[in-house]
Amino acid sequence: MQYRRFGKTNLLFSVFSLGTMRYLASSENAQQTISKALAMGVNHLETARGYGKSEEYLGAAIKSGLLVPRSQIYITTKITPTVDGDSMDRYINESLRRLNLDYLDCLAIHGLNTWEHLQWVEAKGGCMKAVQEALDDGRVRHVGFSTHGSLDVILAAIKTDFFEFVNLHYYYFFQRHAPAIQLAAEKDMGIFIISPADKGGRLYTPSQTLIDLCQPYSPLELNYRFLLSDHRITTLSLGAATPGELIEPLQFADSGDKLTQSETLAFQKLTEQQKAALKTEQCSQCYACLPCPENINIPEVLRLRNLAVAYDMQEYGKYRYGMFENAGHWFPGMKANKCTECGECLPRCPENLNIPGLLDDAHQRLSGKTKRRLWQ
């Protein structure tokens, strides 16, 4: 297991962190998963107030005695932003009680996703007043934020200089947030990548097309290598539901060197395949088409279509597309069938794409069962 400095916190985190959103089957299963992760060198455990019984299960594991001293593991919990400081103070104390802890190594403002959330953070007497008091009295040692928001919101949150770390989405198949990675690195913030195997493409169950294109590597391995070869990034979330799900990802826990020539060629093959498959229908993800009058997240819909057409990532596309209209600010936007063909996006597209036609095609390909946030 490699360990990296988590930005200005100066904590040394394992390059994989155990995210605890999915180990909710039972307290016993949670303890077994935590124990296995620690035995394999993971030293950072991440939970959230909103993850069902996750904090309670982790607290039970702590109370029963972990395999390593408390001083050798780092625990993060996440709490959603609040309008007032009193609510945040109460939530911090509740989380500490559930976790059986005297202090949190890291507290993340959970889901700083909208401009309104940022206003709550910046308001005098708001949630950050309580966070600062918790920092002052030692209940919290470091503070950051997690986000599923748009790039402009993320950049603005980083520029507040309130935070020591950021948890965000960034993967080979989603590089929109590259400027946020760069800005966070310039500000010496720890960088935690959310769900690279799942949100990064459901790479634990890849299509045969993607498997063939990535040879001699697995799609999961290539995505991990894309991230771990970037030393601005500290740690990747590993959301194991059982101890067995730790095995394959942690095979890559020492794979932090720069990309090899062979790996670079594999990524080039993926790029060439996308160009060949999509031809003149490839969305370049410039976001110039927004805003949409019907609040369709056009670039994200067309990104999912890009992946479905180029790599047969149909199941991943359906999984993410089903979140539209069902996950609020965690995954905002209407489904593509809400397009009225008003044409406002057309003159803004540098590729001159037939956006209404592509939206219709994406909806036909990807519409399926409705999805919600996992803990809902």
Side-chain angles (χ1 to χ4, degrees):
M1 178 69 71
Q2 291 188 354
Y3 299 85
R4 294 180 181 176
R5 176 178 169 273
F6 196 44
K8 64 185 74 174
T9 72
N10 285 319
L11 303 176
L12 284 180
F13 277 8
S14 48
V15 294
F16 281 94
S17 296
L18 179 63
T20 60
M21 188 169 73
R22 296 181 63 245
Y23 72 177
L24 302 177
S26 68
S27 180
E28 181 182 8
N29 176 69
Q31 292 198 40
Q32 291 172 351
T33 305
I34 292 166
S35 295
K36 181 69 171 178
L38 294 174
M40 297 183 73
V42 172
N43 73 347
H44 176 225
L45 310 177
E46 188 232 26
T47 184
R49 173 182 170 83
Y51 288 174
K53 293 187 176 181
S54 176
E55 284 187 334
E56 294 175 33
Y57 288 169
L58 178 52
I62 291 169
K63 189 174 183 179
S64 67
L66 297 172
L67 296 178
V68 295
R70 170 69 177 98
S71 61
Q72 295 178 22
I73 61 167
Y74 303 112
I75 294 173
T76 296
T77 199
K78 305 192 294 292
I79 300 175
T80 53
T82 61
V83 176
D84 62 291
D86 289 344
S87 294
M88 177 60 71
D89 185 69
R90 183 171 71 255
Y91 294 160
I92 291 171
N93 289 332
E94 288 175 357
S95 287
L96 286 169
R97 283 196 297 272
R98 282 196 288 261
L99 289 163
N100 286 304
L101 293 176
D102 297 322
Y103 68 91
L104 293 166
D105 297 284
C106 298
L107 170 68
I109 303 300
H110 190 194
L112 206 168
N113 298 339
T114 69
W115 290 110
E116 183 180 36
H117 294 153
L118 189 58
Q119 289 173 358
W120 296 351
V121 163
E122 293 180 317
K124 291 183 178 180
C127 60
M128 293 305 290
K129 177 177 182 292
V131 171
Q132 185 58 55
E133 290 172 354
L135 287 166
D136 292 342
D137 64 30
R139 285 175 292 155
V140 172
R141 296 194 171 175
H142 304 284
V143 64
F145 72 98
S146 76
T147 180
H148 295 232
S150 60
L151 177 61
D152 52 355
V153 171
I154 297 171
L155 293 173
I158 292 172
K159 290 175 184 176
T160 65
D161 291 325
F162 292 162
F163 303 108
E164 297 172 272
F165 63 90
V166 58
N167 305 0
L168 78 169
H169 295 281
Y170 176 72
Y171 326 105
Y172 175 74
F173 290 118
F174 178 75
Q175 298 182 40
R176 169 69 175 169
H177 292 160
I181 297 286
Q182 180 57 33
L183 182 61
E186 290 170 2
K187 289 183 173 290
D188 195 26
M189 294 174 69
I191 299 174
F192 179 110
I193 302 300
I194 300 170
S195 187
D198 186 63
K199 306 302 188 299
R202 277 204 163 178
L203 300 176
Y204 45 82
T205 55
S207 69
Q208 190 59 51
T209 299
L210 191 57
I211 291 171
D212 294 342
L213 285 166
C214 291
Q215 292 293 340
Y217 309 100
S218 72
L220 186 62
E221 179 179 6
L222 275 183
N223 192 48
Y224 284 149
R225 288 290 293 124
F226 171 78
L227 295 168
L228 292 175
S229 64
D230 185 342
H231 281 246
R232 298 173 301 176
I233 293 168
T234 308
T235 187
L236 316 181
S237 175
L238 174 53
T242 65
E245 290 185 4
L246 294 163
I247 305 301
E248 181 180 3
L250 292 183
Q251 293 176 20
F252 311 116
D254 291 316
S255 303
D257 299 331
K258 67 182 293 187
L259 293 175
T260 66
Q261 183 178 11
S262 177
E263 289 166 339
T264 300
L265 289 172
F267 285 121
Q268 289 176 358
K269 192 191 302 183
L270 289 171
T271 300
E272 290 165 2
Q273 166 66 14
Q274 183 163 261
K275 290 179 179 177
L278 289 158
K279 299 182 175 67
T280 59
E281 295 182 346
Q282 179 175 344
C283 172
S284 67
Q285 299 288 283
C286 68
Y287 280 61
C289 55
L290 296 180
C292 168
E294 302 304 323
N295 195 32
I296 299 167
N297 189 339
I298 298 171
E300 180 63 9
V301 172
L302 297 189
R303 181 183 77 90
L304 298 176
R305 182 184 182 275
N306 282 353
L307 299 178
V309 172
Y311 309 121
D312 195 26
M313 293 173 67
Q314 199 88 358
E315 292 309 310
Y316 169 69
K318 289 179 179 179
Y319 159 57
R320 295 303 282 166
Y321 187 76
M323 300 289 289
F324 287 124
E325 304 179 24
N326 293 289
H329 58 75
W330 297 97
F331 199 67
M334 307 300 288
K335 288 186 168 64
N337 63 337
K338 301 301 190 296
C339 177
T340 62
E341 301 187 25
C342 69
E344 286 193 18
C345 56
L346 295 176
R348 298 199 293 259
C349 177
E351 282 87 28
N352 296 312
L353 297 177
N354 175 14
I355 293 175
L358 294 178
L359 290 176
D360 179 66
D361 181 74
H363 184 74
Q364 298 306 316
R365 290 175 185 271
L366 304 176
S367 58
K369 187 177 180 181
T370 296
K371 303 291 183 183
R372 294 186 182 275
R373 298 287 294 165
L374 182 60
W375 60 83
Q376 297 173 319

